[in-house]
Amino acid sequence: MQLYIGNKNYSSWSMRAWVAMTQAGIAFEEIPLRLAFEADSPFKVALARVAPNGRVPVLVDDDGFAVWDTLAIAEYLAERFPDRALWPADPKARARARSVCAEMHAGFAALREHCTMNIEAELPQVGQRLMATQPAVASDLARITGLWQEALDASGGPFLFGAFGIADAYFAPVGSRITTYGLPVPTPLLRYIDRVFAVPAVQAWCAAAREEHDFIADDEPYRRAPAR
């Protein structure tokens, strides 16, 4: 299997698939592509060979079958590797886990627009300004923390649905955003973020992200390229 991904520092959707597969012990070859959005860029050209949507991540199975879109990849993997318990075993917990992932997949546009993932950055002043001037960001954050607390209360933790799974991989980039921008969340949920970022797959992704040292202006709305 191959997984096409973008820059680890910026590509939140790539992170979700990579972390879910890595933590579950599903073997794959990583195909890294430098994010670029021009139609004729090497990024777009490479993706056009395997998937029609031109976005990462893309999973290519060992028979050449391609699956794009992170949620579709998650479902495909759960069916392909049922022994890895990527979704909760209980039907109601599984339905709730799918619900919160789908909500993340389709929603929280303000948080995603204004708090772009940037693992190696520290931007607490930006976070303070956004919380004061962008009520939609504060609303998104309140909904996310509410989802987390409800899931943790129902499962007893330590992760959203007990053991680490797709839902935790799905929200790992949100935890990164909260950390980067210093967004205010209750202490118990900061501890949940700490637990997620102590997971070996998440640690490995973040360590690689910090080692990239690749400044992409389109993904850096709050900073200028470092002087060379």
Side-chain angles (χ1 to χ4, degrees), residues 7-8 16 18 26 34 39-40 42 56 61 66 94 97 106 127 129 139 141-142 149 154 166 183 197 203 214-215:
N7 289 62
K8 289 180 176 173
R16 293 177 170 99
W18 191 98
I26 299 171
R34 186 178 189 270
D40 60 348
V56 285
D61 207 342
R94 187 163 63 250
R129 186 174 75 248
S139 177
L141 184 64
Q149 193 62 66
I166 289 170
L183 302 179
F197 278 80
Q203 286 188 328
D214 184 12
F215 189 96

Side-chain angles (χ1 to χ4, degrees), residues 4-75:
Y4 288 72
I5 63 170
N7 289 62
K8 289 180 176 173
N9 189 49
Y10 303 117
S11 184
S12 60
W13 295 108
S14 297
M15 181 183 186
R16 293 177 170 99
W18 191 98
V19 164
M21 294 183 74
T22 301
Q23 190 60 25
I26 299 171
F28 66 95
E29 178 189 2
E30 175 184 318
I31 309 294
L33 300 173
R34 186 178 189 270
L35 292 168
F37 306 103
E38 301 82 7
D40 60 348
S41 67
F43 175 81
K44 292 290 189 181
V45 170
L47 288 177
R49 299 190 187 107
V50 292
N53 68 337
R55 297 179 181 179
V56 285
V58 177
L59 177 69
V60 180
D61 207 342
D62 51 16
D63 62 356
F65 179 75
V67 185
W68 58 94
D69 183 277
T70 308
L71 199 52
I73 291 171
E75 293 286 7

Side-chain angles (χ1 to χ4, degrees), residues 15 18 63 67 98-99 108 112 114 118 160 168 190 202 221:
M15 181 183 186
W18 191 98
D63 62 356
V67 185
R98 283 176 163 140
S99 295
F108 309 119
R112 285 154 55 181
H114 295 287
N118 195 331
L160 293 180
D168 303 289
L190 288 175
V202 181

